[in-house]
Amino acid sequence: MTDPRRTRLLNNCQESNGPVIYWMSRDQRVRCNWALLFALQKAESLQQPLIVLFTLAPSFLQAPLRHYEFMLKGLQEVEATLCSLNIPFCILQGEPENELPRFAQKMKAGVVVTDYSPLKISRRWKKSVAGQLQVPLYEVDAHNIVPCWIASGKQEYSARTFRPKVNALLAEFLTEFHDIKPRSVSAELKPVDWNRIVQSLKADPALMPGEKAAANCLETFLVSRLASYAEQRNDPNAGAVSTLSPYLHFGQISAQFTALQTAKSNAPEIDRKAFLEELIVRRELSDNYCCYNDHYDSFEGLPSWAKVSLSSHSGDPREYIYTPEEFETAATHERLWNAAQLELVKTGKIHGYMRMYWAKKILEWSETPEQAFITAISLNDRYALDGRDPNGYTGVAWSIGGLHDRPWFERPVYGKIRYMNASGCARKFDIARYIARCEENDLFSP
DNA sequence: ATCGGCTCGCGCAA
DNA sequence: TGCGCGAAGCCGAT
C-alpha cells in the first residue's frame, strides 16, 4: 500500500470509468517505483487496465546521443519488463502538454498518475496537463525516500537544518517494497516502434544502461567498494564511489531500494553512514532547493550573503579569463582542470570531489560570477549523464555560490565563497595519475 | 600530522 | 537575546 502522503492530487476532477494511465517521466523503472505501485493500486481498485506512457519531448532531442541512448535503452527494458507483467507501454513524441491530454481522451482514461520532479519544465507540463484533463491527475514522489513536500515545507538553509527533519521521517518512509504480480486485465496497444524513435541504439560499454545494469552496479559497489567509502570517496583515483548517479537521475534505480540495501550490507558502519548521508540527506536536499526556489539554475537563487559578497568582487582582476568555448574544449592553462573537463566529456561523469574543484575554477576564471554560473550549468547539463537534475543545479550553486555552505574568509574573486586549489587536491590524491587517466584515449578503469 | 581561525545566520533555548 | 554550529577547505603555526 502506497503511503497517501507520497501522493498529491493536482486538479479537482472526478474519477471516471476507464483505464489508469501512469505517465512515467522521472522514474524510468518498474521495480521499487511508488508512482507505478500507486497507479496499479488504482487500477486494481477500479478494476481497470493500466497503461504506462512515456512522452519524449523535442527539447530532449538536443541532449547528446549518449544520453539519449542511455535513456532509450533503459526504456526498452522497461517495456520488456512491463510486457511480462501484462502491462502495455507506449511512447509518444511531442510536447507532453499536447500529447498527454490527447492520449488520455483517446484511451478514455479514468485516472492519470505521474511521478514527481521539482524542475520548472516538469511543473509547467503538469500544470498545463492538470488543467486540460477531465479526470484526476495524481503526482507521486517516487524519487525521494521522504516525499519532498513532507520532508520540509520551505527552502532549507543547510544540510544541518534539513538532516534532522529527514532522518526523523525515515522510520516511516524507508520501508520495503513488494513485488508486482502480473495483471490479468490488459489494454491492447501496439508495441513501441523503436526504429522510428532512433535509427540504431548501441550500448555504451563503459556504462550499461537500464534497471538490471543499475542493480548490478549497486551490488558491486556494496560488495567491493562501500567498505572503503568513508576514507576514499574524495580520491578520484580510488574508484571508491558508487557511480550510481546516472541511474538515479533517470530513475533506473530507486534511491529507497539503494538505501535499504546499503543498510543491510555488512560494510563498516562508518562507511554505510557516510554513503547514506550523501544518498539521502544531500540528494534530497537538492530536490528541496529546486522545489522551493524558482531561481535554482541561476545566480539569482543564491543566499544573499553570497550574492552580496560575489558582487562586491565581480570587478576584481582575474589572473585568467576563459570563454565558455575555452572551458568546453578543455583549453585552460591548467592540466588538472582540463583533465576534469575531459573526464566529463568522455565519460559523461565527473568525480564528486573534482566536480567541486571544476566548478570553483570556472568561478575563478570567468568574467563574472553570473557568467560562471551559466557556463557551469550548461556544461553540466550538456555533458553529464546526470545533467538537468536537481543535484547538478544544487552542486553548482554550492560550489560557485555558497548554497547550503557557510561563509569563509574573504579573498579576491571568490569573496566569502569557500576556496579550493590544486594543492588541496595534491594533498588528497595523486594528481598526475588522475590527469594521465583522463587524458587516455579509452577511458576508464580505476 | 594536527589545530584554530576564518565568517554568517539559522534554530533553539531561555 | 544569546549561543552553538555548520556539504566536502585553506593557511599558517606548532
Side-chain angles (χ1 to χ4, degrees):
Chain A
M1 187 74 176
T2 311
D3 190 313
R5 291 173 293 176
R6 284 194 188 280
T7 303
R8 298 196 289 196
L9 183 58
L10 299 183
N11 57 10
N12 285 314
C13 298
Q14 295 299 310
E15 284 171 9
S16 72
N17 217 14
V20 175
I21 295 176
Y22 166 30
W23 171 23
M24 177 182 276
S25 177
R26 191 190 194 191
D27 292 280
Q28 299 164 21
R29 66 181 180 280
V30 178
R31 283 186 68 194
C32 306
N33 181 336
W34 291 118
L36 176 62
L37 290 168
F38 177 77
L40 262 168
Q41 203 176 290
K42 276 275 167 212
E44 263 152 36
S45 68
L46 300 169
Q47 299 196 307
Q48 291 290 342
L50 171 66
I51 298 166
V52 179
L53 170 72
F54 188 86
T55 52
L56 196 53
S59 56
F60 195 76
L61 299 177
Q62 296 152 14
L65 188 61
R66 178 201 280 139
H67 300 199
Y68 198 64
E69 289 191 342
F70 190 87
M71 184 176 83
L72 289 178
K73 274 277 177 192
L75 289 172
Q76 279 189 315
E77 191 183 328
V78 164
E79 181 194 37
T81 310
L82 287 174
C83 179
S84 72
L85 297 168
N86 214 9
I87 299 169
F89 174 74
C90 84
I91 292 188
L92 293 178
Q93 294 186 76
E95 294 296 343
E97 46 217 305
N98 302 330
E99 298 305 321
L100 199 108
R102 197 182 301 160
F103 183 79
Q105 193 159 42
K106 191 178 113 192
M107 302 308 293
K108 300 189 168 56
V111 177
V112 179
V113 176
T114 190
D115 44 44
Y116 167 77
S117 163
L119 298 187
K120 286 179 271 192
I121 187 164
S122 173
R123 292 199 297 227
R124 200 165 61 232
W125 286 341
K126 280 176 205 162
K127 197 174 170 194
S128 166
V129 169
Q132 292 179 67
L133 287 175
Q134 309 293 314
V135 296
L137 175 63
Y138 289 99
E139 175 183 53
V140 183
D141 190 345
H143 214 77
N144 293 296
I145 298 171
V146 179
C148 188
W149 54 84
I150 300 291
S152 171
K154 60 168 191 167
Q155 182 186 328
E156 290 295 330
Y157 184 75
S158 67
R160 170 172 60 95
T161 62
F162 187 61
R163 187 179 298 111
K165 298 184 183 180
V166 164
N167 285 342
L169 288 163
L170 286 181
E172 293 167 57
F173 286 100
L174 187 49
T175 54
E176 295 284 343
F177 292 90
H178 55 85
D179 283 336
I180 298 174
K181 290 190 209 84
R183 302 271 297 153
S184 47
V185 233
S186 176
E188 288 301 315
L189 232 65
K190 271 191 297 193
V192 177
D193 181 359
W194 293 100
N195 288 328
R196 237 190 45 185
I197 291 172
V198 68
Q199 285 309 311
S200 69
L201 286 177
K202 50 181 191 311
D204 185 343
L207 191 66
M208 292 296 290
E211 276 190 78
K212 289 195 192 95
N216 287 338
C217 179
L218 172 63
E219 184 62 23
T220 311
F221 169 66
L222 292 178
V223 169
S224 61
R225 308 202 299 278
L226 178 60
S228 56
Y229 186 79
E231 201 194 311
Q232 298 195 58
R233 73 194 144 120
N234 282 342
D235 178 350
N237 296 321
V241 292
S242 76
T243 69
L244 285 172
S245 57
Y247 302 115
L248 286 165
H249 166 67
F250 286 104
Q252 294 177 1
I253 197 164
S254 150
Q256 182 161 342
F257 177 73
T258 303
L260 289 166
Q261 296 302 105
T262 303
K264 286 177 202 161
S265 122
N266 45 28
E269 193 195 353
I270 188 173
D271 299 296
R272 279 183 281 131
K273 273 185 80 171
F275 181 63
L276 287 173
E277 164 76 12
E278 307 231 351
L279 178 74
I280 303 176
V281 177
R282 298 190 197 173
R283 201 183 46 82
E284 304 204 352
L285 180 59
S286 69
D287 260 37
N288 171 275
Y289 180 56
C290 296
C291 176
Y292 296 112
N293 191 322
D294 287 344
H295 303 292
Y296 58 75
D297 52 357
S298 72
F299 182 84
E300 182 65 28
L302 301 178
S304 55
W305 66 264
K307 279 193 285 195
V308 167
S309 182
L310 283 170
S311 296
S312 76
H313 286 272
S314 66
D316 291 357
R318 271 85 172 138
E319 204 174 341
Y320 303 92
I321 291 181
Y322 298 107
T323 62
E325 292 70 31
E326 287 168 322
F327 283 119
E328 182 166 15
T329 52
T332 78
H333 65 286
E334 197 195 74
R335 270 180 94 188
L336 178 60
W337 191 91
N338 294 345
Q341 174 66 13
L342 286 175
E343 180 186 17
L344 174 63
V345 172
K346 287 186 187 178
T347 68
K349 294 188 283 186
I350 186 163
H351 188 279
Y353 185 82
M354 286 309 294
R355 182 154 55 186
M356 297 189 283
Y357 180 80
W358 172 87
K360 283 183 184 289
K361 292 295 139 179
I362 294 177
L363 170 64
E364 193 175 325
W365 302 331
S366 291
E367 204 126 19
T368 62
E370 291 87 347
Q371 179 56 53
F373 211 103
I374 293 169
T375 302
I377 295 278
S378 67
L379 289 178
N380 191 61
D381 280 358
R382 178 160 167 69
Y383 290 107
L385 272 167
D386 60 347
R388 295 166 304 279
D389 187 281
N391 280 322
Y393 300 121
T394 306
V396 169
W398 180 86
S399 303
I400 291 182
L403 176 75
H404 301 149
D405 202 8
R406 55 191 274 206
W408 299 83
F409 88 101
E410 204 158 357
R411 64 171 64 233
V413 184
Y414 283 79
K416 291 168 182 168
I417 303 301
R418 183 193 296 257
Y419 176 66
M420 283 176 80
N421 63 9
S423 49
C425 297
R427 238 177 285 127
K428 290 184 175 60
F429 62 91
D430 182 346
I431 288 183
R433 186 163 160 233
Y434 175 72
I435 291 172
R437 285 172 51 230
C438 293
E439 288 179 354
E440 264 170 37
N441 278 330
D442 65 331
L443 287 180
F444 211 56
S445 50

